[in-house]
Amino acid sequence: MFEFKVHHQDGRARVARLATPHGTVTTPMFMPVGTQGTVKGISPQELLDIGSQMILGNTYHLMLRPGEELVAAHGGLPGFTAYPGPFLTDSGGFQVMSLGHLRKINEEGVIFKSHLDGSLVDLTPERSIEVQQALGADVIMAFDECPPFPAERDYITRSLERTVRWLERCLTFKSRDDQALFAIVQGGIHPDLRQLSLDLTLPFNTPGFAIGGLAVGESKAEMYPAVEFTTARLPEDKPRYLMGVGHPEDLVAGIALGVDMFDCVYPTRTGRFGYALTDDGRLNLNSSAPRRDLRPIDEDCDCYACRHYTRAYLAHLVRAGELLAPRMLSLHNLRYLHRLVERMRSVIAAGEFIGWARSWGARYFGGELPQWFAAALGASAAQRGLVGTRSPQHM
């Protein structure tokens, strides 16, 4: 039911196929976030039209509203949302971390106050898996504790050890064979703690592994050495998922280091605030410059907004507060990220990824590459020097 096979590799970057009960997806890929069972403002058909392959659902929010029983009555998230493809659900751990003073963590799990009505909710590893099984996603996540940034080393150590104990409870409780449970590697930005988490987590040999505990407040210069360290030590025959990360530069750097899966609210949230993603950086449609610009957002983009509307019209919609503006900008931004990974899959298969990534970065950053970005490409290039581009028969 679940099969992951790498077909092309250029340095650390790779192209693979992941088979799931609701369809086979090609990685690397970006997953739009459907927190409440919908990607804000975008219909399921539009998601399919722009190239979405897998949607992320949120265990915490769907558990509280409308409740997993109602979703299960629809046959799970595909029936509930009318999106026919694969889903991934997070465990609720990140949302619990974000509650701060509204939650209390102990060995059993987490007790927190609902952000909806203040009622007390008890979320344990078993309860997280119970909800995710009812939601019916193809890929589900182990319940973890995601430490904030900054956090004391002792706290991160205790947290990652607890996360491993929770993983064991999740695997013991899980009963559905048609769902792949991914373990989550923690450890913050500390290499030795990342190694400890890897040592404790890898023996469980789950169908995939997520890189957690990052993009929680640290700088990219602090985050990417941790990504590089972790991906280099994860199994080559399992998918690698960098949780909650999805800026364009993050996709390029992460893919350079061997990440296969990404998710983030960034493209739709950015669209709702009047920004469009391009290879030249973010286009601010709130500013004066686009107001008389008769070009599309991106002349190379095939999304509905770029095929039908000018920058001037979209800037007018933004200023007028029209609902079409956030819809079209969100649609474009999602399509931009899908096109970005499509381009990367193509150049990886051709053995041209490093050169392409450097050229893309020079344009996107307007000149010199940030050190963290250049280092990610350098690490991939070093690996390429060792193994070259590998074809399927060598994987």
Side-chain angles (χ1 to χ4, degrees):
M1 216 173 301
F2 294 94
E3 183 182 6
F4 181 77
K5 184 176 182 181
V6 177
H7 291 271
H8 304 281
Q9 185 163 341
D10 188 7
R12 291 192 184 183
R14 70 239 195 111
V15 176
R17 296 284 181 90
L18 172 63
T20 79
H22 285 92
T24 298
V25 300
T26 303
T27 65
M29 67 173 175
F30 176 81
M31 298 179 288
V33 176
T35 301
Q36 308 272 11
T38 177
V39 177
K40 291 187 185 300
I42 310 298
S43 73
Q45 186 58 54
E46 288 172 321
L47 290 171
L48 293 171
D49 291 344
I50 63 173
S52 302
Q53 299 187 81
M54 182 180 285
I55 307 300
L56 184 139
N58 189 282
T59 295
Y60 167 85
H61 286 282
L62 293 170
M63 174 183 70
L64 295 181
R65 181 177 57 191
E68 72 276 11
E69 298 90 350
L70 182 61
V71 177
H74 287 77
L77 283 168
F80 186 58
T81 66
Y83 178 81
F87 275 85
L88 179 149
T89 46
D90 62 11
S91 69
F94 177 81
Q95 284 70 35
V96 167
M97 181 273 288
S98 67
L99 291 173
H101 67 283
L102 296 177
R103 53 100 170 112
K104 182 177 180 181
I105 301 173
N106 56 40
E107 184 63 27
E108 184 60 24
V110 183
I111 299 173
F112 61 91
K113 290 184 179 180
S114 165
H115 73 285
L116 297 177
D117 59 13
S119 61
L120 288 179
V121 181
D122 191 0
L123 186 58
T124 65
E126 291 80 8
R127 176 66 175 137
S128 174
I129 298 302
E130 179 182 40
V131 173
Q132 292 185 79
Q133 291 191 148
L135 297 177
D138 299 78
V139 177
I140 64 176
M141 304 305 299
F143 188 59
D144 67 321
E145 182 182 353
C146 180
F149 181 88
E152 297 293 332
R153 283 179 52 89
D154 287 348
Y155 176 83
I156 297 173
T157 303
R158 294 195 304 272
S159 172
L160 73 86
E161 291 173 343
R162 178 183 291 137
T163 289
V164 173
R165 293 193 293 272
W166 285 357
L167 167 62
E168 188 168 14
R169 288 166 57 185
C170 288
L171 289 167
T172 299
F173 186 84
K174 178 180 178 291
S175 60
R176 288 185 60 161
D177 293 331
D178 60 344
Q179 293 180 305
L181 188 150
F182 284 19
I184 302 175
V185 177
Q186 292 287 349
I189 61 173
H190 307 285
D192 58 330
L193 298 186
R194 284 272 157 190
Q195 186 63 61
L196 175 60
S197 183
L198 286 161
D199 290 343
L200 296 173
T201 303
L202 291 181
F204 288 94
N205 196 31
T206 54
F209 292 91
I211 304 168
L214 297 175
V216 292
E218 77 283 0
S219 68
K220 293 184 190 295
E222 292 170 309
M223 180 175 82
Y224 274 95
V227 176
E228 178 184 349
F229 183 91
T230 308
T231 53
R233 290 158 177 80
L234 288 172
E236 290 196 1
D237 61 346
K238 302 288 181 72
R240 305 160 181 161
Y241 166 31
L242 182 54
M243 304 179 74
V245 172
H247 291 216
E249 65 270 28
D250 291 319
L251 268 61
V252 179
I255 287 169
L257 295 173
V259 175
D260 304 298
M261 302 164 65
F262 302 82
D263 81 280
C264 194
V265 299
Y266 178 72
T268 49
R269 180 174 290 170
T270 297
R272 294 197 301 276
F273 282 97
Y275 292 89
L277 304 180
T278 78
D279 280 355
D280 297 305
R282 291 198 313 181
L283 173 65
N284 183 2
L285 291 163
N286 298 282
S287 67
S288 59
R291 294 184 182 182
R292 297 188 179 278
D293 193 335
L294 302 186
R295 295 175 296 168
I297 295 170
D298 184 342
E299 293 178 349
D300 295 325
C301 183
D302 56 4
C303 78
Y304 187 93
C306 288
R307 286 188 289 111
H308 292 87
Y309 302 133
T310 65
R311 295 182 179 190
Y313 178 67
L314 292 168
H316 158 68
L317 295 181
V318 169
R319 296 196 312 277
E322 288 291 338
L323 292 177
L324 187 60
R327 265 189 32 79
M328 289 297 100
L329 293 179
S330 295
L331 188 75
H332 165 78
N333 289 346
L334 288 171
R335 179 56 187 151
Y336 174 80
L337 293 186
H338 290 328
R339 287 180 55 243
L340 185 61
V341 293
E342 288 167 6
R343 285 185 280 170
M344 284 189 273
R345 292 199 293 261
S346 177
V347 294
I348 291 167
E352 301 169 350
F353 173 75
I354 300 300
W356 176 91
R358 286 175 176 150
S359 297
W360 180 91
R363 177 177 176 181
Y364 184 80
F365 293 110
E368 186 176 354
L369 302 180
Q371 192 279 331
W372 62 266
F373 186 86
L377 301 189
S380 195
Q383 181 74 5
R384 191 180 194 278
L386 292 174
V387 300
T389 302
R390 289 186 276 176
S391 57
Q393 63 264 31
H394 297 125
M395 300 309 301

